[in-house]
């Protein structure tokens, strides 16, 4: 008998194949337009994305890391400023802070929910760590598809006059109390990396805001600081969303809400399969709508569990195996909050991501559920 095919943890190729006729038509349209960077498709995507999100503007850019750097620049945050965020995130979040010349301060997460611990933020804003420049902003990462604790974080940030940047790279379509993430802080950033809930077939990103002046500043900063062609008002970068990716993203945006619903249905099936096992399903925050960018379990015997699932033809991932503050690039030089990221370090030893994408078939979900039930 043939071995069943391996079910990968992520599968952007399946995302393309599921929408192939529409995507191919959009790509042909963009190719035949004769205009490949910052044109019709990009402008249409920006308008459609901001309308879908509910912000006044969205500005496309090269990737989610640049989007964070552009958002920081839009608030004049750079050298001489500290930016607080978490260590339990993609390295990109911290890399963006250093890209603009600011100093990162890495805080711990809430046990069980994997996002910024508001108590840590309150502690560092009330008593700033010695030797650091003033804390001017916090990047709140909505990790795995679920909102951070904005109910607690926003009032703390407001009280201390700190800018709130929502990193929505993993949370397209997620909500808190019925409002989409990316509309609750001062400015928001998105990544369209191929595996994201809204994924391009290459790199892409966006900054979203209600503030027209900051939107136009971001639009200038993404292209050398140009206000008029070839004339820079201030130094910028080159980080543009190309027309092919914009055309593809327009197709995919129209399917995003349905695809997020499918992700939630798959998550519910996994939850059911785990009932009665020693492994708890992911916690949901009260009032939050999860979009399951990732379905993440905590398993103390991770290596063994991953090996067992691999034998059953099920791929898994680890997001993330090494917290940013313990990676060689940052270890011993990056500032930490009072809890020294102890909850983060413990989580990194145990987190494990199951296959999660809307194109998983019912048969594949059943196979995964059977294996989970035996955990
Ligand atoms: C939480 C988070 N922030 C930022 C990024 C950066 O996005 P990109 O890879 O598009 O630069 C990612 C994706 O990798 C991410 O997961």
């Amino acid at each position: 008998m043939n071995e069943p095919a391996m079910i990968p943890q992520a599968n952007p190729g399946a995302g393309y194949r599921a929408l192939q006729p529409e995507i191919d038509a959009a790509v042909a349209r963009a190719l035949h337009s004769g205009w490949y960077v910052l044109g019709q498709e990009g402008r249409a995507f920006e308008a459609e994305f901001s309308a879908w999100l509910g912000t006044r503007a969205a500005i496309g850019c090269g990737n989610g890391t640049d989007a964070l750097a552009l958002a920081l620049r839009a608030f004049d945050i750079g050298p001489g400023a500290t930016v607080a965020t978490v260590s339990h995130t993609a390295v990109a979040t911290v890399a963006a802070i250093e890209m603009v010349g600011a100093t990162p301060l890495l805080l711990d997460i809430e046990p069980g929910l994997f996002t910024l611990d508001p108590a840590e933020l309150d502690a560092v804003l009330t008593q700033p760590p010695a030797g650091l420049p003033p804390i001017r902003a916090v990047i709140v990462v909505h990790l795995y598809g679920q909102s951070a604790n904005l109910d607690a974080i926003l009032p703390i940030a407001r009280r201390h006059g700190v800018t709130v940047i929502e990193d929505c790279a993993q949370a397209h379509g997620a909500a808190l109390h019925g409002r989409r993430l990316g509309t609750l802080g001062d400015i928001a950033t998105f990544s369209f990396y191929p595996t994201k809930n809204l994924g391009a077939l290459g790199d892409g990103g966006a900054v979203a805001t209600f503030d027209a002046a900051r939107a136009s500043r971001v639009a200038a900063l993404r292209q050398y600081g140009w206000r008029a062609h070839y004339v820079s008002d201030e130094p910028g970068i080159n980080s543009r969303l190309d027309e092919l990716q914009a055309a593809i993203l327009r197709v995919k945006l129209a399917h995003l809400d349905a695809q997020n619903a499918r992700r939630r249905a798959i998550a519910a099936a996994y939850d059911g399969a785990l009932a009665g096992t020693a492994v708890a399903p992911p916690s949901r925050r009260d009032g939050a709508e999860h979009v399951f960018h990732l379905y993440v379990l905590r398993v103390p015997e991770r290596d063994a569990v991953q090996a067992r699932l691999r034998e059953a033809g099920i791929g898994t991932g680890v997001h993330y195996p090494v917290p940013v503050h313990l990676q060689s690039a940052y270890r011993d030089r990056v500032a930490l909050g009072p809890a020294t990221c102890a909850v983060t370090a413990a989580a990194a030893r145990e987190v494990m991501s199951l296959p999660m994408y809307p194109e998983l078939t019912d048969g594949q979900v059943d196979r995964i559920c059977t294996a989970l039930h035996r955990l």
Side-chain angles (χ1 to χ4, degrees), residues 63-65 68 89-90 92-93 141 143 167 169-170 191-193 196 203-204 320:
N63 55 68
T65 312
L68 283 165
T89 182
T93 313
V141 183
L143 203 72
D167 181 345
Q170 303 192 7
S191 163
F192 305 126
Y193 184 76
K196 303 301 191 203
D203 273 316
Y320 296 91

Side-chain angles (χ1 to χ4, degrees), residues 138-318:
V138 55
I139 299 179
V140 177
V141 183
H142 300 305
L143 203 72
Y144 301 155
Q146 174 157 254
S147 180
N149 190 351
L150 288 179
D151 288 337
I153 291 167
L154 289 176
I156 294 168
R158 298 279 175 264
R159 204 162 58 241
H160 292 273
V162 163
T163 299
V164 176
I165 298 172
E166 294 182 75
D167 181 345
C168 300
Q170 303 192 7
H172 315 73
L176 184 64
H177 308 308
R179 287 186 58 191
R180 284 215 155 121
L181 303 186
T183 65
L184 298 161
D186 295 304
I187 198 162
T189 65
F190 291 82
S191 163
F192 305 126
Y193 184 76
T195 56
K196 303 301 191 203
N197 289 38
L198 179 59
L201 300 179
D203 273 316
V207 178
T209 174
F210 289 100
D211 184 328
R214 283 198 220 276
S216 86
R217 180 137 184 238
V218 169
L221 287 169
R222 75 172 161 183
Q223 185 166 233
Y224 320 118
W226 287 355
R227 292 277 179 189
H229 245 64
Y230 310 123
V231 185
S232 296
D233 276 7
E234 62 176 326
I237 59 174
N238 175 2
S239 182
R240 302 176 291 214
L241 182 64
D242 73 67
E243 290 285 280
L244 286 176
Q245 300 310 329
I248 292 164
L249 286 165
R250 291 181 69 193
V251 171
K252 291 189 138 195
L253 179 61
H255 295 274
L256 178 57
D257 291 334
Q259 293 189 337
N260 281 341
R262 171 72 183 153
R263 285 175 184 266
R264 277 195 288 276
I266 295 167
Y270 292 168
D271 289 351
L274 288 168
T277 73
V279 180
S283 305
R284 271 66 152 186
R285 186 181 297 290
D286 284 346
E289 182 154 68
H290 205 315
V291 290
F292 289 98
H293 170 58
L294 294 167
Y295 185 96
V296 177
L297 299 173
R298 284 189 76 143
V299 280
E301 304 289 323
R302 181 171 64 201
D303 288 352
V305 173
Q306 285 191 290
R308 279 216 306 280
L309 289 172
R310 202 176 312 119
E311 271 165 37
I314 296 162
T316 55
V318 175

